[in-house]
Amino acid sequence: MSILSSNHPVENQVANSISRFLSDFQVIRLFRACGCVKTKGISVEFLFAYILGNAFRSSSFYMQQRMQELRGCFSKNTYYRFLANPHVNWLHFTTRLAVRIIEQFLKPLTSENRRECFVIDDSLYERAGYKRTELAARVFDHVSMRYKKGFRLLTLGWTDGASFLPVNSVLLSSTKDENWQPGFQLDDLMIE
């Protein structure tokens, strides 16, 4: 039985796949180990399944609320509070989830002779057109050989030559003050 209720057969398939993924890799146990526990109201499993399913829906959470298509029995505060919870160690969670996926799913598919390695990538995460993006900086793009506004997306991934699984990622800004773009200032909040 699916956690998410839906009227569309494709959404039912997605919901069933998400439910199977959560149970096969024991994602809720990982959440508990990383500091995410239910304090009141809606279950962590239901909320995470809904958030994961949003990647496969035709509209975002915001648009679902606006169009009153939201099928969940939770408010936008619950949704955003879950994502911004300071007690959840998301880096630790993604690392442990990646290890589980590698151990339980990917390793049995590869031969013993195939070499495995970690790949570190520092791609440009461009944020052109966003004047108020906090800590956005001028960073050098090695592909176009120009400075662009944005971040460095430092990603650690696992590969066996045929598969690639991102383990962790972090956004990096410039350490030089002159490269920082004018962003959100505390003075903007001051009401005169």
Side-chain angles (χ1 to χ4, degrees), residues 1-191:
M1 183 174 165
S2 172
I3 296 172
L4 305 174
S5 61
S6 175
N7 298 329
H8 305 293
V10 174
E11 283 194 27
N12 283 335
Q13 285 178 328
V14 169
N16 290 336
S17 297
I18 290 171
S19 295
R20 214 169 334 122
F21 173 79
L22 293 177
S23 65
D24 288 350
F25 295 107
Q26 300 174 345
V27 175
I28 304 308
R29 281 189 185 177
L30 285 178
F31 265 127
R32 287 190 199 113
C34 297
C36 184
V37 292
K38 174 185 169 185
T39 53
K40 60 182 176 181
I42 215 152
S43 73
V44 173
E45 184 176 8
F46 179 83
L47 194 56
F48 187 68
Y50 174 79
I51 291 169
L52 203 56
N54 258 355
F56 304 101
R57 289 190 183 91
S58 60
S59 60
S60 67
F61 176 72
Y62 173 76
M63 287 307 294
Q64 289 172 29
Q65 274 194 316
R66 259 191 103 161
M67 304 302 268
Q68 292 156 352
E69 297 174 357
L70 189 61
R71 294 178 193 90
C73 53
F74 54 87
S75 69
K76 72 175 186 178
N77 290 341
T78 305
Y79 181 86
Y80 290 115
R81 215 178 287 133
F82 175 75
L83 292 175
N85 188 348
H87 301 291
V88 179
N89 190 342
W90 290 102
L91 221 52
H92 188 61
F93 170 73
T94 57
T95 304
R96 290 185 66 170
L97 182 60
V99 167
R100 273 213 183 141
I101 292 170
I102 291 166
E103 294 287 325
Q104 293 178 14
F105 183 73
L106 292 174
K107 277 204 177 178
L109 298 176
T110 59
S111 78
E112 298 277 331
N113 300 335
R114 184 170 285 194
R115 291 191 176 175
E116 303 166 2
C117 67
F118 285 106
V119 176
I120 298 174
D121 177 41
D122 69 335
S123 299
L124 173 71
Y125 182 64
E126 190 174 359
R127 299 297 288 177
Y130 291 89
K131 293 181 180 177
R132 300 275 179 166
T133 305
E134 188 177 6
L135 294 178
R138 284 179 13 138
V139 289
F140 189 72
D141 182 21
H142 297 284
V143 176
S144 65
M145 303 302 279
R146 295 177 175 205
Y147 279 93
K148 295 186 177 180
K149 183 179 179 183
F151 302 93
R152 282 260 159 247
L153 179 61
L154 185 64
T155 305
L156 172 69
W158 174 90
T159 186
D160 61 357
S163 306
F164 178 79
L165 182 70
V167 176
N168 264 321
S169 62
V170 65
L171 287 175
L172 303 173
S173 186
S174 178
T175 57
K176 297 179 182 176
D177 290 343
E178 63 267 11
N179 284 341
W180 284 5
Q181 299 294 320
F184 183 76
Q185 301 293 326
L186 218 63
D187 297 339
D188 296 341
L189 290 175
M190 302 289 183
I191 300 173

